[in-house]
Amino acid sequence: MNAAIEVTNLKYRYHDGSEALRGVSLRVAPGECVGVLGPNGSGKSTLLLHLNGILPEKLSADGAVRILGQSVSAENLETIRRQVGLVFQDPDDQLFCPTVEEDVAFGPMQLGLSEAQVKERVQKALAQVGLADFDRRATHHLSHGEKRRVCLAGVLACEPSVLVLDEPTSDLDPRGRREFKALLRQIPATKLIATHDLELVVELCSRAIVLDQGLVVAEGPVVELLNDEELMLAHGLERPHILRHHHPHHAENHTA
Ligand code: ADP
Ligand code: MG
């Protein structure tokens, strides 16, 4: 079976010369939820931006990034973007229409759906994120948490099979975080989530990948990986409190 996401030796250098990715390889199976961890500047966002071709891939014709077996390249960008929904780190980078309804409708409209279908998708997606009555609201007056949910609705309205989220719970309050996690849990898509929220990783992800300085430095089952305090500290992370009452051996039994 094709991997939902397959990245092979991906390298990326920004114009100013900073080497953000230095040969990243990873695979995510269909239906998996995988966390991407790593200190600030380790390349998480750069990696995520490659998954639907926002950053130009100037690599071999063979393609360093494949989605469901198809390489991300200029020729099939449209197909890739139907399959991959990317939620940016900063909602203000994603929202650009005056009202919530217009914003959430933008993606489905690009898919060439009829007006009635678009309307249906928008209503469904807004209900899914708990903002059913928000369609007429002005996007720039929303709270940060509401903006994040509108961004997610805009992506869900396109019904992607792969959902890519960049720090989805950063600067949400505890209730906002809890609600957002419950929401994510209900979405059946394959998920790749870059985050510093280790509770989210423990609760939602089966596997995690640690990036540091543009390289994958570790990967494995979440509990095993996050319990490795030495590894966590070496890469600017920490062993999450949520795991502290687990003895590692018991934890292994949980995941077995
Ligand atoms: P993370 O999301 O893990 O914090 P990023 O992917 O944003 O990491 O950044 C990886 C590296 O690339 C960092 O060294 C960062 O300074 C650099 N970088 C990120 N965006 C740009 C940009 N637009 N131009 C130049 N360098 C960038
Ligand atoms: Mg980032």
Side-chain angles (χ1 to χ4, degrees):
M1 186 163 51
N2 283 326
I5 302 171
E6 184 171 24
V7 177
T8 312
N9 196 25
L10 178 64
K11 296 177 181 168
Y12 189 78
R13 190 190 285 275
Y14 283 100
H15 293 300
D16 66 357
S18 55
E19 222 180 342
L21 300 176
R22 299 191 293 143
V24 167
S25 299
L26 60 93
R27 273 176 77 91
V28 179
E32 250 193 318
C33 179
V34 175
V36 180
L37 311 176
N40 290 334
S42 56
K44 302 181 298 297
S45 295
T46 306
L47 168 67
L48 267 41
L49 291 171
H50 277 86
L51 300 180
N52 71 353
I54 288 180
L55 285 180
E57 193 192 342
K58 19 170 200 186
L59 293 141
S60 61
D62 196 26
V65 182
R66 289 179 170 269
I67 301 295
L68 296 159
Q70 211 172 21
S71 91
V72 176
S73 63
E75 304 85 66
N76 54 23
L77 217 48
E78 208 176 307
T79 324
I80 295 293
R81 289 193 179 157
R82 277 169 198 264
Q83 286 163 337
V84 182
L86 174 66
V87 180
F88 293 149
Q89 184 164 349
D90 184 351
D92 290 320
D93 289 340
Q94 191 140 13
L95 299 172
F96 60 97
C97 295
T99 69
V100 167
E101 183 176 32
E102 290 167 288
D103 222 295
V104 178
F106 185 82
M109 263 159 54
Q110 298 297 300
L111 298 179
L113 300 171
S114 73
E115 207 177 310
Q117 284 169 318
V118 170
K119 220 177 166 70
E120 197 185 306
R121 292 269 189 116
V122 171
Q123 278 165 1
K124 187 176 160 207
L126 283 176
Q128 226 174 332
V129 302
L131 297 178
D133 304 326
F134 275 58
D135 46 349
R136 304 272 162 212
R137 297 278 292 269
T139 41
H140 64 281
H141 286 151
L142 300 176
S143 76
H144 199 75
E146 289 163 348
K147 283 182 181 175
R148 282 199 185 267
R149 288 197 274 169
V150 172
C151 289
L152 182 62
V155 163
L156 293 180
C158 299
E159 300 185 351
S161 45
V162 177
L163 187 59
V164 178
L165 302 151
D166 200 349
E167 300 200 24
T169 56
S170 65
D171 48 56
L172 290 186
D173 62 24
R175 181 174 56 195
R177 265 208 303 279
R178 213 161 42 237
E179 289 175 354
F180 208 89
K181 284 187 287 193
L183 175 58
L184 289 182
R185 195 176 281 117
Q186 284 168 7
I187 300 166
T190 304
K191 288 170 228 139
L192 189 67
I193 310 175
T195 187
H196 293 300
D197 183 347
L198 299 182
E199 253 178 51
L200 176 151
V201 175
V202 170
E203 290 171 21
L204 295 183
C205 302
S206 54
R207 206 154 58 80
I209 293 168
V210 181
L211 284 186
D212 202 353
Q213 297 183 37
L215 288 171
V216 174
V217 290
E219 64 179 295
V222 162
V223 176
E224 203 177 299
L225 196 79
L226 297 187
N227 259 320
D228 188 340
E229 189 144 33
E230 209 175 316
L231 174 79
M232 291 292 105
L233 293 176
H235 300 291
L237 303 166
E238 62 184 357
R239 185 171 160 223
H241 293 288
I242 189 177
L243 290 181
R244 288 195 187 265
H245 58 275
H246 282 267
H247 186 275
H249 296 295
H250 294 161
E252 268 166 31
N253 291 340
H254 280 300
T255 55

